[in-house]
Amino acid sequence: MIPIFDYIILIFMVIAAIISLKVKDLLSASMVFGIYSFLICLLWAEMGAVDVAFTEAAVGAGVSAVFLIATVYNTKRRSSD
Amino acid sequence: MKEFFETSIEPHFNYWVYVILMMIGLWAVIAKNNLIKKLIGMSIFQTAIILFYVSVGVKKGSGIPIIPKAKEAAAGAGEHGAAGAVNPDLFANPLPHVLMLTAIVVGVSTLGVALAVAQQLFKDFGTLEEDEILEQIKTADKASPDG
């Protein structure tokens, strides 16, 4: 584990989480949530959990983002908050 | 302040961030009005818990839990496993990783089912805002009080 890399990724993760919850466009929220998932995937590869990292990259970042975008496509794109 | 940073925050930074992410997720699930925002918050909560478990297994200066030349290490081990035994300080603990693999997959299937339910709600009510859905249910109840 590399400490400085760890701190940078963790801070970016908190920022991405807040942005994905604050933005009013749901498609943007889905994309920023994908960025969050890829950041946490990077963090796990850095922490030595490579198996968790590639599961997260395939299942967490890929499939979750596709599900969210499909739901936004089938429903409304604007959110009130 | 500097001492607090050096003794509490800096060595346990993963744990501080996991608590922050967990509270962000909890806030989103409780306070957000849009159902998709609630589900994003639920996913953030879940990744925060996984972050806690993976942080438990990590050690300072440890690498990935793959043992190079595993055959030679096993052959060199004597009856009590002393000679050629693997030094565990060089590897992250793989047990929490393996447990969390299941949690990731279960979390994605939970999200998929929840989003399917959200789409069905949109079909029925024409909105994904929680207060509007509750309002429509209330007016429907008033129209037919026996239901």
Short mmCIF file of all heavy atoms in Angstrom, two decimals, chain A residues 36-60:
data_model
loop_
_atom_site.label_atom_id
_atom_site.label_comp_id
_atom_site.label_asym_id
_atom_site.label_seq_id
_atom_site.Cartn_x
_atom_site.Cartn_y
_atom_site.Cartn_z
N TYR A 36 -16.88 7.24 -9.48
CA TYR A 36 -16.69 6.81 -8.09
C TYR A 36 -16.32 5.32 -8.03
O TYR A 36 -15.39 4.92 -7.33
CB TYR A 36 -17.98 7.10 -7.32
CG TYR A 36 -18.05 6.54 -5.94
CD1 TYR A 36 -17.55 7.25 -4.86
CD2 TYR A 36 -18.63 5.30 -5.70
CE1 TYR A 36 -17.62 6.74 -3.59
CE2 TYR A 36 -18.69 4.77 -4.44
CZ TYR A 36 -18.19 5.50 -3.39
OH TYR A 36 -18.25 4.98 -2.13
N SER A 37 -17.04 4.51 -8.83
CA SER A 37 -16.76 3.06 -8.81
C SER A 37 -15.36 2.77 -9.33
O SER A 37 -14.66 1.92 -8.78
CB SER A 37 -17.79 2.33 -9.66
OG SER A 37 -19.04 2.39 -9.05
N PHE A 38 -14.94 3.47 -10.39
CA PHE A 38 -13.61 3.21 -10.92
C PHE A 38 -12.53 3.69 -9.94
O PHE A 38 -11.47 3.08 -9.83
CB PHE A 38 -13.42 3.86 -12.28
CG PHE A 38 -13.93 3.01 -13.40
CD1 PHE A 38 -14.97 3.43 -14.19
CD2 PHE A 38 -13.38 1.77 -13.63
CE1 PHE A 38 -15.45 2.63 -15.20
CE2 PHE A 38 -13.86 0.96 -14.64
CZ PHE A 38 -14.91 1.40 -15.43
N LEU A 39 -12.82 4.78 -9.20
CA LEU A 39 -11.86 5.24 -8.20
C LEU A 39 -11.70 4.21 -7.09
O LEU A 39 -10.58 3.92 -6.64
CB LEU A 39 -12.32 6.57 -7.59
CG LEU A 39 -12.00 7.82 -8.39
CD1 LEU A 39 -12.67 9.02 -7.75
CD2 LEU A 39 -10.51 8.06 -8.44
N ILE A 40 -12.82 3.62 -6.65
CA ILE A 40 -12.70 2.64 -5.57
C ILE A 40 -12.04 1.36 -6.09
O ILE A 40 -11.32 0.68 -5.36
CB ILE A 40 -14.06 2.39 -4.90
CG1 ILE A 40 -13.83 1.87 -3.50
CG2 ILE A 40 -14.94 1.45 -5.66
CD1 ILE A 40 -15.01 1.91 -2.62
N CYS A 41 -12.22 1.07 -7.38
CA CYS A 41 -11.53 -0.06 -8.00
C CYS A 41 -10.02 0.17 -7.98
O CYS A 41 -9.24 -0.72 -7.63
CB CYS A 41 -12.04 -0.20 -9.42
SG CYS A 41 -11.03 -1.12 -10.52
N LEU A 42 -9.61 1.40 -8.31
CA LEU A 42 -8.18 1.78 -8.26
C LEU A 42 -7.65 1.65 -6.84
O LEU A 42 -6.55 1.14 -6.60
CB LEU A 42 -8.07 3.21 -8.74
CG LEU A 42 -6.75 3.74 -9.27
CD1 LEU A 42 -6.32 2.92 -10.44
CD2 LEU A 42 -6.92 5.18 -9.68
N LEU A 43 -8.46 2.08 -5.87
CA LEU A 43 -8.05 2.00 -4.46
C LEU A 43 -7.83 0.55 -4.04
O LEU A 43 -6.88 0.24 -3.32
CB LEU A 43 -9.12 2.66 -3.60
CG LEU A 43 -8.85 2.67 -2.10
CD1 LEU A 43 -7.76 3.66 -1.79
CD2 LEU A 43 -10.08 2.99 -1.34
N TRP A 44 -8.68 -0.35 -4.50
CA TRP A 44 -8.53 -1.74 -4.09
C TRP A 44 -7.33 -2.39 -4.74
O TRP A 44 -6.66 -3.20 -4.10
CB TRP A 44 -9.81 -2.51 -4.35
CG TRP A 44 -10.82 -2.21 -3.31
CD1 TRP A 44 -10.52 -1.92 -2.00
CD2 TRP A 44 -12.22 -2.15 -3.40
NE1 TRP A 44 -11.67 -1.68 -1.32
CE2 TRP A 44 -12.72 -1.81 -2.15
CE3 TRP A 44 -13.09 -2.35 -4.45
CZ2 TRP A 44 -14.07 -1.68 -1.90
CZ3 TRP A 44 -14.43 -2.21 -4.20
CH2 TRP A 44 -14.91 -1.89 -2.93
N ALA A 45 -7.06 -2.06 -6.00
CA ALA A 45 -5.85 -2.57 -6.62
C ALA A 45 -4.63 -2.09 -5.86
O ALA A 45 -3.66 -2.83 -5.66
CB ALA A 45 -5.78 -2.12 -8.08
N GLU A 46 -4.69 -0.84 -5.37
CA GLU A 46 -3.57 -0.25 -4.64
C GLU A 46 -3.43 -0.86 -3.25
O GLU A 46 -2.33 -0.97 -2.72
CB GLU A 46 -3.80 1.26 -4.58
CG GLU A 46 -2.72 2.05 -3.93
CD GLU A 46 -3.03 2.33 -2.49
OE1 GLU A 46 -4.21 2.23 -2.10
OE2 GLU A 46 -2.09 2.61 -1.75
N MET A 47 -4.56 -1.27 -2.65
CA MET A 47 -4.50 -1.86 -1.31
C MET A 47 -4.19 -3.35 -1.33
O MET A 47 -4.19 -4.00 -0.29
CB MET A 47 -5.83 -1.63 -0.58
CG MET A 47 -5.93 -0.27 0.04
SD MET A 47 -7.60 0.18 0.46
CE MET A 47 -7.94 -0.93 1.76
N GLY A 48 -3.94 -3.93 -2.51
CA GLY A 48 -3.56 -5.33 -2.58
C GLY A 48 -4.71 -6.29 -2.76
O GLY A 48 -4.52 -7.49 -2.74
N ALA A 49 -5.93 -5.76 -2.96
CA ALA A 49 -7.09 -6.63 -3.16
C ALA A 49 -7.40 -6.69 -4.65
O ALA A 49 -8.39 -6.12 -5.11
CB ALA A 49 -8.29 -6.12 -2.38
N VAL A 50 -6.55 -7.36 -5.43
CA VAL A 50 -6.71 -7.32 -6.89
C VAL A 50 -7.97 -8.04 -7.33
O VAL A 50 -8.61 -7.63 -8.30
CB VAL A 50 -5.47 -7.90 -7.60
CG1 VAL A 50 -4.43 -6.84 -7.77
CG2 VAL A 50 -4.91 -9.07 -6.85
N ASP A 51 -8.35 -9.12 -6.61
CA ASP A 51 -9.55 -9.84 -7.02
C ASP A 51 -10.80 -8.97 -6.84
O ASP A 51 -11.67 -8.92 -7.72
CB ASP A 51 -9.68 -11.15 -6.25
CG ASP A 51 -9.41 -10.98 -4.76
OD1 ASP A 51 -8.98 -9.87 -4.37
OD2 ASP A 51 -9.63 -11.92 -4.00
N VAL A 52 -10.84 -8.26 -5.71
CA VAL A 52 -11.97 -7.34 -5.50
C VAL A 52 -11.93 -6.23 -6.53
O VAL A 52 -12.98 -5.78 -7.02
CB VAL A 52 -11.90 -6.76 -4.07
CG1 VAL A 52 -13.13 -5.94 -3.78
CG2 VAL A 52 -11.78 -7.86 -3.05
N ALA A 53 -10.73 -5.78 -6.91
CA ALA A 53 -10.62 -4.68 -7.86
C ALA A 53 -11.20 -5.05 -9.21
O ALA A 53 -11.97 -4.29 -9.78
CB ALA A 53 -9.15 -4.26 -8.01
N PHE A 54 -10.86 -6.22 -9.73
CA PHE A 54 -11.42 -6.48 -11.06
C PHE A 54 -12.87 -6.91 -11.01
O PHE A 54 -13.61 -6.67 -11.97
CB PHE A 54 -10.54 -7.37 -11.95
CG PHE A 54 -10.32 -8.79 -11.53
CD1 PHE A 54 -11.37 -9.69 -11.52
CD2 PHE A 54 -9.06 -9.22 -11.19
CE1 PHE A 54 -11.14 -11.01 -11.16
CE2 PHE A 54 -8.84 -10.54 -10.84
CZ PHE A 54 -9.88 -11.43 -10.82
N THR A 55 -13.33 -7.46 -9.89
CA THR A 55 -14.77 -7.69 -9.78
C THR A 55 -15.52 -6.37 -9.77
O THR A 55 -16.57 -6.21 -10.41
CB THR A 55 -15.10 -8.48 -8.51
OG1 THR A 55 -14.28 -9.63 -8.48
CG2 THR A 55 -16.53 -8.90 -8.48
N GLU A 56 -14.97 -5.38 -9.03
CA GLU A 56 -15.61 -4.07 -8.97
C GLU A 56 -15.61 -3.40 -10.34
O GLU A 56 -16.60 -2.79 -10.74
CB GLU A 56 -14.88 -3.20 -7.94
CG GLU A 56 -15.37 -1.77 -7.86
CD GLU A 56 -16.72 -1.63 -7.20
OE1 GLU A 56 -17.08 -2.53 -6.42
OE2 GLU A 56 -17.41 -0.65 -7.48
N ALA A 57 -14.47 -3.53 -11.07
CA ALA A 57 -14.40 -2.89 -12.39
C ALA A 57 -15.43 -3.47 -13.34
O ALA A 57 -16.09 -2.75 -14.09
CB ALA A 57 -13.00 -3.04 -12.97
N ALA A 58 -15.61 -4.80 -13.30
CA ALA A 58 -16.55 -5.44 -14.23
C ALA A 58 -17.98 -5.27 -13.74
O ALA A 58 -18.85 -4.83 -14.49
CB ALA A 58 -16.21 -6.92 -14.37
N VAL A 59 -18.23 -5.63 -12.49
CA VAL A 59 -19.61 -5.71 -12.00
C VAL A 59 -20.06 -4.37 -11.43
O VAL A 59 -21.12 -3.86 -11.79
CB VAL A 59 -19.70 -6.82 -10.94
CG1 VAL A 59 -21.07 -6.84 -10.34
CG2 VAL A 59 -19.39 -8.15 -11.55
N GLY A 60 -19.24 -3.78 -10.55
CA GLY A 60 -19.66 -2.55 -9.89
C GLY A 60 -19.73 -1.38 -10.84
O GLY A 60 -20.77 -0.76 -11.01
#
